């Protein structure tokens, strides 16, 4: 069975930078890519610093002489010492004739330690196996947009969106990504994925700024569901609590999961209370039965709705790929990553974790997205999403009807 080209790199051990120059966390080497082919790339870094005043920095670059992808040099202050934050990236990249590395890097605004506990990069080749505007859609807006008081529909020149008519039975993964410059340290901003047919902002995040001079926040949102047979516009929407913020860029990506030979997903918008340490709550679970042995991509995502600034949550992906039992993958250990990263007690903070793993055939393979309350009592998780798909390709295609324009 033919398979798509899927590339993955991770570093589940600490990388430390205590200077303003960039330090490599992880990369997918140039030789792994195919020249002149287009890829969608997802990257994530789970970060910590002992300083609440110096900025943590992270960026995604390509090439031997590093070239930043557009608006990917991020910087943020934590709300207090030793807080932890996940930063996610979504880009579309066409490799040149001489292929280039894709690298995740970190630095610090001063000499405090910036620590990346878990760095990840996933790349899926879209050329050859997938048809643009049929199997997948992408839109990117690079002009500045000023947030409004209420979440509202935005034009195609203000925020990223895609419009298409699904067949009503296929499942779609929708991912959004945006970069924001906070304009006030005490004014929350909101960002969401919005579906015009449902009229719902899911997932929806709500975060306070910390520094108005040097911060560039970057967030990754994800949702999987079965859209109806109607014209859907999926878009990113933004708002602010008291003071307008600037969205520097946004992008949205949608892919038909029925293009793959197998897939499974579980999504729930409702809030759930995690179990207190040392217990774990399986907030989403899957049990696909692979029909062939091969690689599966697995993504977990949710919003952490904090109760206090000191709330602390641990998260893990547990996978049983070959019948030997569940184990953490990525293999960072059960003590991390944590999302002790609130800037305000009203924050809802996005979290994502993913892996590419070989699973064997002929039996159900359990996949769990687990959460654990380390400190606090009021913290909840919402818009909980777990998706897994084999990179083997389906035999048949699933066309869709594009909207004019």
């Amino acid at each position: 069975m033919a398979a798509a080209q899927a590339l993955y790199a991770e570093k589940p051990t600490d990388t430390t930078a205590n200077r303003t120059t960039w330090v490599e966390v992880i990369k997918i080497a140039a030789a792994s890519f195919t020249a002149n082919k287009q890829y969608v790339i997802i990257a994530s870094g789970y970060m910590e610093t002992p300083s609440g005043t110096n900025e943590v920095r992270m960026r995604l670059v390509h090439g031997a002489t590093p070239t930043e992808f557009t608006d990917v040099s991020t910087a943020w202050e934590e709300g207090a010492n030793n807080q932890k934050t996940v930063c996610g990236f979504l880009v579309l990249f066409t490799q040149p004739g001489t292929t280039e590395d894709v690298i995740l890097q970190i630095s610090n605004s001063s000499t405090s330690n910036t620590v990346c506990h878990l760095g990840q990069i996933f790349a899926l080749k879209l050329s050859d196996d997938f048809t643009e505007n049929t199997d997948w859609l992408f839109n990117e807006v690079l002009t500045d947009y000023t947030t409004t008081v209420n979440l509202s529909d935005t034009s195609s020149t203000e925020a990223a969106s895609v419009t298409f008519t699904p067949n009503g039975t296929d499942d779609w993964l929708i991912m959004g990504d945006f970069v924001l410059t906070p304009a006030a340290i005490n004014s929350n901003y909101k960002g969401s994925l919005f579906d015009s047919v449902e009229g719902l902002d899911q997932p929806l995040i709500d975060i306070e700024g910390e520094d108005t001079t040097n911060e560039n926040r970057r967030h990754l949102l994800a949702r999987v569901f079965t859209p109806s047979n109607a014209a859907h516009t999926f878009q990113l929407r933004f708002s602010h609590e008291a003071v307008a913020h600037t969205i520097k860029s946004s992008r949205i990506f949608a892919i038909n999961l029925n293009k793959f030979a197998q897939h499974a997903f579980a999504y729930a918008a409702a809030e759930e209370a995690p179990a207190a340490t040392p217990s774990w709550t399986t907030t989403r679970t899957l049990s696909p039965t692979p029909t062939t042995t091969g690689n599966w991509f697995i993504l977990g995502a949710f919003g952490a709705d904090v109760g206090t600034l000191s709330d602390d949550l641990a998260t893990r992906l547990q996978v049983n790929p070959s019948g030997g039992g569940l184990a953490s993958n990525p293999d960072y250990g059960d003590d991390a990553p944590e999302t002790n990263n609130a800037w305000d007690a009203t924050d809802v903070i996005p979290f994502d974790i993913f892996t590419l793993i070989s699973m064997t055939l002929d039996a159900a393979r359990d996949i769990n997205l687990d959460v654990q309350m380390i400190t606090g009592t009021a913290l909840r998780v919402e818009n909980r999403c777990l998706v897994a798909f084999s990179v083997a390709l389906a035999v048949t295609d699933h066309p869709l009807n594009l909207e004019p324009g």
Side-chain angles (χ1 to χ4, degrees):
M1 183 178 294
Q5 184 188 29
L7 307 174
Y8 178 68
E10 70 175 45
K11 187 179 181 187
T13 55
D14 290 357
T15 302
T16 300
N18 55 10
R19 58 182 188 265
T20 57
T21 53
W22 295 97
V23 174
E24 179 181 309
V25 176
I26 192 68
K27 72 178 178 183
I28 298 179
S32 300
F33 291 97
T34 303
N36 302 311
K37 300 300 182 181
Q38 193 171 46
Y39 292 81
V40 62
I41 299 173
I42 304 166
S44 182
Y46 163 59
M47 308 285 286
E48 180 181 10
T49 178
S51 170
T53 57
N54 295 330
E55 287 90 33
V56 173
R57 295 172 175 174
M58 174 169 278
R59 68 176 186 175
L60 190 67
V61 299
H62 59 92
T65 301
T67 300
E68 293 181 0
F69 290 95
T70 303
D71 283 341
V72 296
S73 186
T74 61
W76 65 93
E77 281 186 16
E78 300 294 2
N81 297 348
N82 300 113
Q83 285 191 324
K84 301 169 185 177
T85 302
V86 169
C87 182
F89 303 85
L90 169 68
V91 298
L92 198 67
F93 180 52
T94 299
Q95 281 282 358
T98 301
T99 57
E100 298 179 340
D101 298 336
V102 174
I103 309 168
L104 193 65
Q105 298 178 323
I106 61 173
S107 67
N108 190 272
S109 62
S110 184
T111 58
S112 299
N113 286 339
T114 290
V115 182
C116 182
H117 295 293
L118 173 62
Q120 301 179 271
I121 307 174
F122 172 74
L124 178 69
K125 182 168 70 69
L126 299 173
S127 301
D128 305 322
D129 296 319
F130 305 91
T131 302
E132 185 176 5
N133 295 327
T134 299
D135 303 318
W136 65 274
L137 302 94
F138 179 84
N139 180 238
E140 180 178 52
V141 173
L142 301 178
T143 55
D144 287 358
Y145 171 69
T146 302
T147 60
T148 55
V149 174
N150 298 309
L151 289 167
S152 59
D153 293 352
T154 50
S155 74
S156 60
T157 61
E158 295 172 329
S161 65
V162 293
T163 299
F164 61 98
T165 301
N167 62 13
T169 59
D170 288 355
D171 303 321
W172 286 76
L173 169 61
I174 315 293
M175 302 190 74
D177 166 271
F178 68 92
V179 181
L180 174 140
T181 301
I185 63 173
N186 58 357
S187 174
N188 281 39
Y189 58 86
K190 292 182 180 180
S192 74
L193 281 176
F194 179 75
D195 173 25
S196 62
V197 174
E198 290 182 314
L200 297 176
D201 291 283
Q202 291 185 5
L204 172 66
I205 64 171
D206 189 347
I207 304 174
E208 186 178 86
E210 182 66 22
D211 183 287
T212 60
T213 304
N214 301 311
E215 285 201 338
N216 282 320
R217 303 275 188 92
R218 187 167 189 137
H219 303 297
L220 184 65
L221 307 177
R223 183 190 175 189
V224 182
F225 74 122
T226 311
S228 62
N229 181 212
H232 290 252
T233 295
F234 295 94
Q235 65 179 205
L236 286 159
R237 302 208 302 180
F238 310 104
S239 69
H240 61 259
E241 180 182 50
V243 179
H245 302 276
T246 300
I247 307 298
K248 296 185 66 175
S249 64
S250 58
R251 49 207 54 79
I252 193 166
F253 175 73
I255 189 166
N256 186 343
L257 295 178
N258 289 70
K259 181 65 179 178
F260 300 96
Q262 291 181 268
H263 71 276
F265 76 93
Y267 179 83
E271 288 191 340
E272 183 175 42
T277 183
S279 299
W280 289 87
T281 294
T282 298
T283 191
R284 294 287 84 191
T285 186
L286 303 172
S287 295
T289 300
T291 56
T292 61
T293 295
N295 283 334
W296 284 63
F297 176 69
I298 302 167
L299 170 71
F302 59 82
D305 187 353
V306 303
T308 70
L309 293 178
S310 60
D311 282 356
D312 198 355
L313 182 77
T315 309
R316 67 184 185 185
L317 273 180
Q318 292 255 295
V319 186
N320 178 6
S322 57
L326 288 165
S328 289
N329 196 301
D331 185 18
Y332 50 76
D334 289 345
D335 59 340
E338 302 166 40
T339 55
N340 177 13
N341 59 352
W343 291 270
D344 182 80
T346 64
D347 284 356
V348 179
I349 301 164
F351 188 91
D352 62 85
I353 187 169
F354 52 88
T355 191
L356 184 71
I357 187 171
S358 179
M359 297 209 292
T360 59
L361 73 166
D362 290 341
R365 303 302 179 201
D366 293 339
I367 304 168
N368 293 341
L369 176 62
D370 294 343
V371 290
Q372 179 190 87
M373 185 96 68
I374 297 175
T375 58
T377 59
L379 193 152
R380 301 292 184 264
V381 290
E382 61 186 48
N383 294 309
R384 298 162 282 133
C385 179
L386 181 62
V387 58
F389 58 83
S390 166
V391 298
L393 297 169
V395 175
T396 57
D397 293 325
H398 297 264
L400 73 97
N401 300 316
L402 292 179
E403 294 302 300

